[in-house]
Amino acid sequence: MSLIKNNPMRGGNKFKLGVFGANADGCLSITKHPDRWMAEWDDVVAAAQISDRAGLDFFLPLARWKGFGGETNARHISYETFTFAAALSGLTQQIALFATVHTLIVPPVYAAKALATLDHASHGRAGLNMVCGWNQPEFDMFGLTKPDQVYDQGKEWFEILKRTLSGEAPFDFKGDFFDLKGVCGAPGSVQKPHPITLSAAFSPPGRDFAAAACDCIFTTFNTHEDAAATIADFRGRVEKADGNAGLFAPVHVVCRPTTTEAEDYYESYAVTQTDNAAVDQHMAMKKKMSGSHDPAAYDLYRKRFAGGAGSYPLIGTPGQIADEMIRLNQLGFGGLALSFVNPKDELPYFCDHVLPLLTEAGLRQ
Ligand SMILES: Cc1cc2nc3c(=O)[nH]c(=O)nc-3n(C[C@H](O)[C@H](O)[C@H](O)COP(=O)(O)O)c2cc1C
């Protein structure tokens, strides 16, 4: 029997923080800035270990198979996420390690086995972020077409994964998307009934899927006002589904001793030195194929797409960033997934200066 460590995603800090996207070039940014993250493996390990030692709660990779073109072909480099998390499990002590998985691409029985392996290797620190997906050129690499009812496929996928992880006697499954015979999987997961689950989504069907089945939705917002509306809408769906899912959001962070330094750096990497062609393609593809953002966001917030793939910006001093995080927690977010232009270089200052303020505010231990 594997020894279970405390998974920081279960209990612990009231407001959870982790790093998002360090498995891919640029993290969430689209930039030609010389500090740009190239996802070199030793840098990834360094960033994960800084996060682990500082007591951050999770390390969350993104799932990407193709770049967005332009000069940098942003995101053409990315590590596969189960093996990424498993490799980091031997190099970290306490942090939760997520895999981000396309339900359309990875068969659920394979995903269950990989997740169980990660959960054992990490002594119960595994997490699963399900992405039902949007990017047809990526699906073309696998000879797949995104179905219209992608979340119905996701529901069947997740049901099979859970049953496989539970170690129940061999079972058959017949649905609209899967017809499986004699499914079994041992060992089951260390965490019972299964590792922590997120679902990255925005649309009403995506919200319903997460509300009914997951521990958390991982979703986007543009302003405090629309965040409040999204949270109220999602909570209504959770109540209807009799679930207890929470909400997490991605943000991009520039934390500096002065506001001017932070804003100047943001302007330099996300405007002056952005890769405009890659930003154009990223936004055009998302506009056409993904419901992950409010349609108005593409016109209003180009800088945010260059700065952090359309996530919310946290730009400023440690005090300003901590205040904004406190506000987002008050609105109803249980955690944030942080991206930086260069996580290895920027995490130490962030952890040393922002985390103590959140502890003082009672959001973290
Ligand atoms: C915060 C967030 C993170 C996401 N991360 C990924 C990712 O890593 N890879 C991916 O292919 N899609 C990702 N997506 C896209 C979603 O899986 C989904 O396909 C997209 O949001 C469209 O579905 P929706 O209309 O239900 O939101 C993400 C979406 C959100 C909101």
Side-chain angles (χ1 to χ4, degrees), residues 54 117 132 156 174 235 279 328 332 349:
T117 306
C132 290
E156 289 188 13
K174 188 156 176 49
R235 286 189 170 153
V279 176
L328 293 174
Y349 185 77

Side-chain angles (χ1 to χ4, degrees), residues 18-193:
V19 175
F20 183 37
N23 66 317
D25 70 88
C27 239
L28 291 196
S29 72
I30 300 179
T31 186
K32 298 182 283 187
H33 194 284
D35 295 345
R36 174 174 180 235
W37 186 243
M38 292 309 294
E40 298 278 353
W41 180 252
D42 291 345
D43 291 340
V44 170
V45 173
Q49 291 178 332
I50 294 165
S51 308
D52 189 45
R53 282 196 295 269
L56 293 187
D57 303 290
F58 61 93
F59 213 65
L60 172 66
L62 52 81
R64 195 77 300 132
W65 302 93
K66 253 193 178 159
F68 291 114
E71 241 177 89
T72 57
N73 197 11
R75 264 21 126 239
H76 71 298
I77 297 168
S78 74
Y79 295 112
E80 188 285 319
T81 69
F82 277 123
T83 45
F84 176 81
L88 293 177
S89 73
L91 300 166
T92 51
Q93 299 294 321
Q94 65 83 31
I95 197 164
L97 296 159
F98 277 85
T100 296
V101 180
H102 283 110
T103 58
L104 206 56
I105 292 175
V106 183
V109 178
Y110 184 94
K113 189 136 268 318
L115 190 60
T117 306
L118 173 61
D119 210 27
H120 282 260
S122 64
H123 299 292
R125 291 186 282 136
L128 175 69
N129 178 26
M130 285 173 276
V131 288
C132 290
W134 58 278
N135 190 330
Q136 186 56 46
E138 291 190 332
F139 295 145
D140 289 341
M141 290 172 65
F142 297 86
L144 297 166
T145 303
K146 183 183 154 183
D148 289 338
Q149 305 302 324
V150 74
Y151 288 104
D152 291 342
Q153 188 270 354
K155 271 182 216 155
E156 289 188 13
W157 187 96
F158 192 32
E159 176 67 27
I160 297 161
L161 176 115
K162 284 190 284 192
R163 291 179 67 180
T164 311
L165 280 176
S166 75
E168 73 172 85
F171 65 92
D172 296 347
F173 184 96
K174 188 156 176 49
D176 293 334
F177 299 88
F178 295 94
D179 185 359
L180 312 178
K181 302 216 168 43
V183 177
C184 55
S189 54
V190 174
Q191 296 171 75
K192 299 293 180 203

Side-chain angles (χ1 to χ4, degrees), residues 214-259:
C214 300
D215 295 305
C216 245
I217 190 167
F218 184 36
T219 199
T220 46
F221 69 97
N222 295 320
T223 61
H224 288 178
E225 290 67 35
D226 74 39
T230 296
I231 290 165
D233 175 86
F234 184 66
R235 286 189 170 153
R237 292 170 197 270
V238 171
E239 205 173 306
K240 209 164 141 203
D242 203 17
N244 59 1
L247 292 102
F248 277 43
V251 293
H252 53 287
V253 178
V254 180
C255 184
R256 297 289 186 273
T258 66
T259 314

